[in-house]
Amino acid sequence: VTAIIPALSAAYARKETGIFLHKVQQAFRMNFIVVFPITAAIAFLSKPVITLIFLNQNKGSMLVSIGIWVAVLFTVQTIQSGVLIALNQPRIPPLSMLAGMLAKIACNYLLIPIPSIHIYGALMGNALALFISIAINQAFIHKGFEGSLSVWRYVKKPFFASLLMGVMSLGWYSVWYGLFQRLSLGMIWANGLALVLTVPFGALLYFF
């Protein structure tokens, strides 16, 4: 993000609207192309990955599968911060995040004590905090830029491609894991070998 701030600031100072808009859109586009497949891979393969790292301890895989999607929101908020700095509004990102944190505290206080929600309330709080921050940042970007800066059209293709990759990778992993289990390799070896075969499969599937 810091790498694009000088270029954005220069374009904004020279009132080169087209260049400014193009650079911001490219930043979001590349972000989604990279972040979505990583997020989907971790979300769909969280249990195998945690099993690989912690062997038999994989009870937190559902938290990882859900919580990892918050990372996408964080990357959006980070790019917005760079744009606002380029627009000479460096105070907005921390203030918007502060507003989000206040909402997160309230969300945690209300939801975590509920037995049926418990720790998932923290994930909801994180998502709410980032949604609020993103909404505030976007409002000030539109106000400062005085133009249309829609980036959500870059979400569709990488998002659905990543979902497809995640689903098919999970199926591919399950086939190999079941095969290795039948060969009596044991859970640890079967899981590890299946993951080794699944990661390049998912990458090829996403990019080709």
Side-chain angles (χ1 to χ4, degrees):
V1 174
T2 54
I4 68 170
I5 292 176
L8 291 177
S9 298
Y12 181 69
R14 293 194 296 262
K15 297 183 179 180
E16 296 174 341
T17 304
I19 294 176
F20 185 94
L21 182 62
H22 176 72
K23 289 183 180 296
V24 173
Q25 290 176 333
Q26 285 299 104
F28 277 106
R29 180 172 175 270
M30 291 305 299
N31 173 70
F32 292 135
I33 288 174
V34 173
V35 172
F36 271 129
I38 296 173
T39 302
I42 295 175
F44 283 94
L45 298 172
S46 61
K47 189 171 183 178
V49 170
I50 293 178
T51 301
L52 180 68
I53 298 172
F54 299 105
L55 302 183
N56 294 324
Q57 303 299 321
N58 54 28
K59 293 182 179 179
S61 59
M62 184 58 68
L63 279 173
V64 174
S65 294
I66 298 173
I68 191 63
W69 291 101
V70 178
V72 178
L73 299 177
F74 181 75
T75 62
V76 172
Q77 195 271 345
T78 303
I79 295 176
Q80 285 181 329
S81 298
V83 174
L84 285 167
I85 292 172
L87 292 175
N88 199 27
Q89 298 187 60
R91 295 181 181 179
I92 301 303
L95 290 175
S96 69
M97 184 56 78
L98 177 61
M101 287 299 103
L102 293 175
K104 171 183 166 57
I105 292 172
C107 186
N108 289 354
Y109 181 79
L110 294 172
L111 296 180
I112 291 179
I114 300 175
S116 59
I117 299 177
H118 199 45
I119 193 62
Y120 292 98
L123 298 181
M124 295 177 188
N126 291 340
L128 178 62
L130 287 168
F131 270 123
I132 291 174
S133 179
I134 288 171
I136 294 173
N137 289 344
Q138 194 67 17
F140 277 92
I141 288 173
H142 279 291
K143 181 180 178 181
F145 182 58
E146 297 180 353
S148 176
L149 193 58
S150 176
V151 298
W152 300 111
R153 61 176 175 169
Y154 298 113
V155 171
K156 297 177 183 178
K157 287 184 178 180
F159 175 71
F160 288 111
S162 298
L163 284 183
L164 177 62
M165 179 207 70
V167 172
M168 294 190 69
S169 293
L170 180 59
W172 181 265
Y173 164 85
S174 300
V175 170
W176 283 108
Y177 179 76
L179 177 61
F180 290 136
Q181 282 280 67
R182 287 179 176 271
L183 295 175
S184 302
L185 292 181
M187 185 190 75
I188 304 301
W189 277 100
N191 178 72
L193 291 172
L195 268 180
V196 168
L197 293 170
T198 300
V199 171
F201 169 79
L204 288 172
L205 185 66
Y206 179 76
F207 286 105
F208 296 101

